[in-house]
Amino acid sequence: KQNVSHQFNYSKNEMNFKTKDFSNNLDLNWILFTSMAVEAKNKFNLSEGDLVLPNNLSLKGSLKNNLMEGEGEINLNDRFVYKGQFEGGTFNGTGTLVQYDEWGDVISLKKGEFKNGKFISGEVNERIIDQRPPSMRHPFHGCSFKGKVKKGEYFGFGKLSHNQRDFFITGIFENGFPKSGIISIENW
């Protein structure tokens, strides 16, 4: 009788660094069945077709030790789509991460460099949605930002727009906040 042990390494990072931590609400059966499905396809080269797991996560690329490795693509219910480089099962290298709302509209597009599953630099166009209580929310909650990110923060030239009012800040951002620029208020 041979003893076989398996180890599954899941990213501890969330896909969007501004999303709520939902790790306490994960269904362990979902994780178990996903792990079993990946294990069954461990040596499978996904470039010939999609592998669709029980949680409806679609994978394209190569698996190494049950983890995505090299160029690949993941798609979760057409709501989160990542195309780019993987290392050790996490987004590492150049890639594009797109998040869609329930109607199929893009609410976040991040294109550039990822490290250990986190977006660190590149171009971003996203709605800023903070699920924490109002007293703890990001000051730009309810706005959209289009511009550059460096070291995980808004940096360089960008535009911050309120999602419901005609309020805009166009200018230079540093450490996630506007440093200089023009504030435009229309039809307030």
Side-chain angles (χ1 to χ4, degrees):
K1 187 173 182 180
Q2 180 182 8
N3 287 335
V4 178
S5 67
H6 300 281
Q7 178 181 0
F8 297 98
N9 299 314
Y10 294 96
S11 173
K12 293 176 179 60
N13 298 323
E14 297 179 46
M15 293 182 78
N16 179 344
F17 61 87
K18 292 179 174 46
T19 59
K20 179 180 177 184
D21 179 8
F22 58 89
S23 56
N24 291 332
N25 300 321
L26 288 177
D27 180 359
L28 295 178
N29 288 322
W30 178 84
I31 293 172
L32 174 65
F33 290 119
T34 300
S35 301
M36 290 169 53
V38 170
E39 178 183 0
K41 301 292 185 181
N42 187 29
K43 302 286 185 195
F44 187 71
N45 184 346
L46 303 174
S47 61
E48 298 168 6
D50 290 2
L51 169 64
V52 180
L53 302 178
N55 61 2
N56 209 28
L57 178 68
S58 170
L59 305 171
K60 290 181 186 177
S62 296
L63 294 174
K64 180 178 177 185
N65 297 324
N66 297 332
L67 302 170
M68 292 288 291
E69 193 71 34
E71 283 293 319
E73 176 182 338
I74 63 169
N75 181 329
L76 180 58
N77 296 320
D78 294 326
R79 297 287 298 273
F80 294 95
V81 179
Y82 174 80
K83 294 179 184 179
Q85 298 170 334
F86 290 84
E87 184 180 306
T90 61
F91 311 157
N92 270 296
T94 304
T96 301
L97 176 63
V98 184
Q99 181 182 356
Y100 300 90
D101 65 13
E102 57 270 15
W103 299 284
D105 295 325
V106 174
I107 57 174
S108 177
L109 185 142
K110 298 175 180 178
K111 183 176 183 176
E113 290 296 315
F114 291 81
K115 186 172 183 177
N116 297 323
K118 252 188 141 167
F119 182 64
I120 56 169
S121 67
E123 298 177 24
V124 66
N125 187 353
E126 68 181 349
R127 291 185 207 163
I128 302 165
I129 302 169
D130 192 339
Q131 301 295 329
R132 295 178 293 182
S135 64
M136 299 173 62
R137 285 189 181 148
H138 191 282
F140 300 149
H141 171 74
C143 294
S144 293
F145 180 80
K146 183 176 184 179
K148 304 266 184 202
V149 168
K150 183 176 180 182
K151 296 181 182 175
E153 299 283 352
Y154 302 140
F155 185 87
F157 185 79
K159 182 176 183 178
L160 182 72
S161 309
H162 195 280
N163 290 332
Q164 296 177 342
R165 301 178 192 250
D166 294 329
F167 174 80
F168 311 94
I169 299 174
T170 305
I172 304 298
F173 286 73
E174 282 188 15
N175 300 318
F177 293 93
K179 179 180 178 185
S180 62
I182 298 171
I183 297 175
S184 303
I185 302 173
E186 302 169 6
N187 303 323
W188 195 273

